[in-house]
């Protein structure tokens, strides 16, 4: 595993020979850059975050679909990065947006330490239900977060399940976690399918948030029509850009929580602009994730300050970082070439 952040910038004009479809797709862009940054600890079952950054007339955008996503799924991430680089964003309604702290699967002491490291944050998302992790350990982590929040006046706790439970498991586990939290703000994607979410929602009192059922769905609004959630989690890259996400939020008719996909600060800036453009923002955003990375691609990371982050553009300007391994650079360019070829074939 790489032990340090890495960044390799490539002139867009140099892509045409080996990656012709990608060069056509990125016409008008100035440069692309591949990044690789270790995480502070395992998260979403990965230890290193990598992706591609794109510079255009409007600024920088990020394209970082996870490696298991096929071209039809990854295309939305490409569209979002191109929107940021080429078009920029609508005018924001606010200059800063509130964020939650994120606690990965860890021991209670570490969980409490993460909360204490974010003194201005009043909401915490706790990851639960990882393979091989006992519910009792998840509850202990949530209790540690609750105690740390209560020591400074209290706050909201939400848990993220990533669809790991079946309905019966979810009913029991949510009850235990709700007690451990002293009342959960909501539970995020407790079961996998829209049908299961709808059935579960009728059996529990804790509000249900849909994440994977939005960002991985052919129609992100199916989960709302099925009355399977109380709120939806929106992420700019999986939904195809800020404008597309704003359209979805307007059509959904339920509260929206803007979150990240463990992006670099370039990707986080895209999420911050989405949150800043929403008419209402009833829940803290899951955009305080720069602290999950050991480093960043910019000299001005979108760090949490007094419980929120700025709404601004971010440049990939870390000229001091070593280059990404050549195999990873080629892998990302080849992957984007394949996605671009897939897109051309759809036209």
């Amino acid at each position: 595993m790489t032990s340090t952040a890495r960044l390799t910038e490539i002139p867009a004009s140099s892509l045409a020979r080996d990656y012709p479809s990608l060069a056509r797709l990125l016409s008008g862009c100035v440069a692309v850059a591949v990044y690789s940054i270790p995480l502070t600890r395992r998260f979403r079952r990965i230890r290193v975050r990598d992706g591609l950054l794109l510079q255009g007339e409007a600024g920088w955008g990020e394209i970082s679909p996870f490696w298991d996503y096929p071209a039809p799924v990854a295309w939305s991430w490409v569209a979002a990065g191109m929107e940021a680089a080429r078009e920029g964003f609508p005018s924001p309604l606010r200059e800063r947006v509130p964020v939650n702290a994120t606690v990965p699967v860890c021991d209670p002491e570490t969980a409490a330490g993460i909360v204490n490291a974010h003194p201005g944050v009043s909401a915490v998302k706790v990851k639960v239900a990882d393979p091989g992790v006992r519910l009792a350990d998840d509850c202990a982590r949530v209790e540690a977060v609750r105690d740390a929040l209560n020591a400074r006046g209290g706050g909201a706790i939400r848990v993220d399940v990533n669809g790991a439970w079946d309905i019966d498991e979810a009913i029991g586990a949510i009850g235990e976690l709700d007690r451990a939290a002293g009342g959960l703000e909501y539970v995020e994607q407790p079961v996998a399918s829209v049908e299961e979410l709808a059935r579960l929602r009728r059996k529990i009192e804790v509000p249900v948030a849909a994440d994977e059922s939005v960002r991985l769905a052919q129609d992100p609004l199916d989960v709302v029509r099925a009355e399977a959630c109380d709120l939806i989690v929106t992420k700019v890259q999986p939904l195809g850009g800020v404008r597309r996400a704003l359209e979805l939020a307007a059509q959904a008719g339920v509260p929206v929580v803007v979150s990240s996909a463990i992006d670099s600060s370039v990707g986080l800036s895209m999420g911050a602009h989405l949150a800043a453009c929403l008419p209402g923002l009833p829940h803290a955003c899951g955009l305080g994730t720069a602290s999950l990375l050991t480093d960043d691609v910019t000299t001005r990371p979108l760090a949490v300050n007094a419980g929120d982050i700025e709404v601004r553009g971010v440049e990939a300007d870390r000229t001091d970082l070593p280059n990404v391994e050549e195999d990873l650079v080629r892998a990302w360019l080849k992957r984007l070439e394949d996605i671009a070829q897939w897109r051309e074939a759809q036209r």
Side-chain angles (χ1 to χ4, degrees):
M1 184 183 76
T2 183
S3 60
T4 186
R6 297 176 182 271
L7 182 70
T8 297
E9 186 169 323
I10 306 149
S13 59
S14 69
L15 299 174
R17 188 189 70 178
D18 295 325
Y19 308 99
S21 294
L22 179 58
R24 288 190 291 270
L25 178 68
L26 302 184
S27 176
C29 292
V30 177
V32 298
V34 176
Y35 78 86
S36 173
I37 306 175
L39 303 182
T40 55
R41 61 188 302 120
R42 184 170 65 93
F43 196 89
R44 201 189 177 273
R45 299 165 200 164
I46 62 172
R47 292 188 178 274
V48 177
R49 191 67 171 105
D50 50 58
L52 186 138
L53 306 171
L54 177 65
Q55 184 184 22
E57 291 184 359
W60 286 85
E62 179 162 342
I63 301 171
S64 54
F66 294 103
W67 282 98
D68 55 331
Y69 290 176
V73 175
W75 169 251
S76 294
W77 300 61
V78 176
M82 292 196 302
E83 176 197 53
R86 288 174 167 172
E87 302 175 53
F89 309 111
S91 298
L93 302 176
R94 48 188 71 84
E95 295 181 351
R96 304 185 70 88
V97 295
V99 300
N100 64 257
T102 300
V103 172
V105 174
C106 59
D107 60 73
E109 292 75 19
T110 300
I114 291 170
V115 176
N116 293 333
H118 295 81
V121 167
S122 60
V124 179
K125 178 164 85 169
V126 183
K127 286 286 188 177
V128 299
D130 253 22
V133 177
R134 301 180 307 154
L135 176 60
D137 294 329
D138 287 337
C139 288
R141 189 179 320 111
V142 168
E143 288 173 354
V145 169
R146 178 202 66 199
D147 292 345
L149 283 172
N150 286 343
R152 64 184 194 217
I157 299 175
R158 55 188 74 163
V159 294
D160 186 6
V161 186
N162 293 119
W165 295 325
D166 62 32
I167 291 177
D168 289 338
E169 285 177 315
I171 292 171
I174 291 169
E176 293 291 326
L177 291 164
D178 191 43
R179 284 187 286 274
L184 287 170
E185 180 186 17
Y186 61 78
V187 56
E188 183 175 322
Q189 199 71 40
V191 290
S193 72
V194 170
E195 179 186 3
E196 289 173 312
L197 282 174
R199 289 168 56 197
L200 175 64
R201 184 171 176 249
R202 293 193 291 268
K203 296 176 180 291
I204 62 174
E205 297 296 326
V206 175
V208 173
D211 178 11
E212 285 86 347
S213 291
V214 175
R215 62 182 169 86
L216 296 178
Q218 284 191 323
D219 186 343
L221 292 176
D222 278 349
V223 69
V224 176
R225 297 190 193 99
E227 298 183 351
C229 64
D230 298 281
L231 59 154
I232 60 173
V233 177
T234 58
K235 299 177 180 178
V236 171
Q237 289 197 72
L239 292 177
V242 169
R243 289 169 178 81
R244 177 67 187 94
L246 286 171
E247 291 174 5
L248 173 69
Q251 295 167 15
V254 297
V256 169
V257 178
V258 180
S259 191
S260 84
I262 318 301
D263 314 306
S264 76
S265 281
V266 172
L268 291 178
S269 74
M270 295 157 61
H273 275 90
L274 168 59
C277 291
L278 288 167
L281 207 58
H283 299 277
C285 303
L287 297 172
T289 55
S291 62
L292 298 176
L293 305 176
T294 59
D295 206 335
D296 215 320
V297 299
T298 176
T299 56
R300 297 181 62 212
L302 278 184
V304 180
N305 182 17
D308 56 30
I309 61 172
E310 294 179 81
V311 179
R312 59 174 170 83
V314 171
E315 298 181 356
D317 59 359
R318 288 289 303 279
T319 57
D320 59 309
L321 293 178
N323 285 332
V324 175
E325 296 88 343
E326 290 185 10
D327 287 349
L328 184 59
V329 172
R330 286 194 294 268
W332 268 106
L333 295 179
K334 176 62 165 59
R335 187 181 188 197
L336 268 292
E337 172 71 8
D338 291 344
I339 294 170
Q341 290 179 5
W342 172 85
R343 183 62 177 175
E344 287 178 341
Q346 306 307 301
R347 295 174 178 171

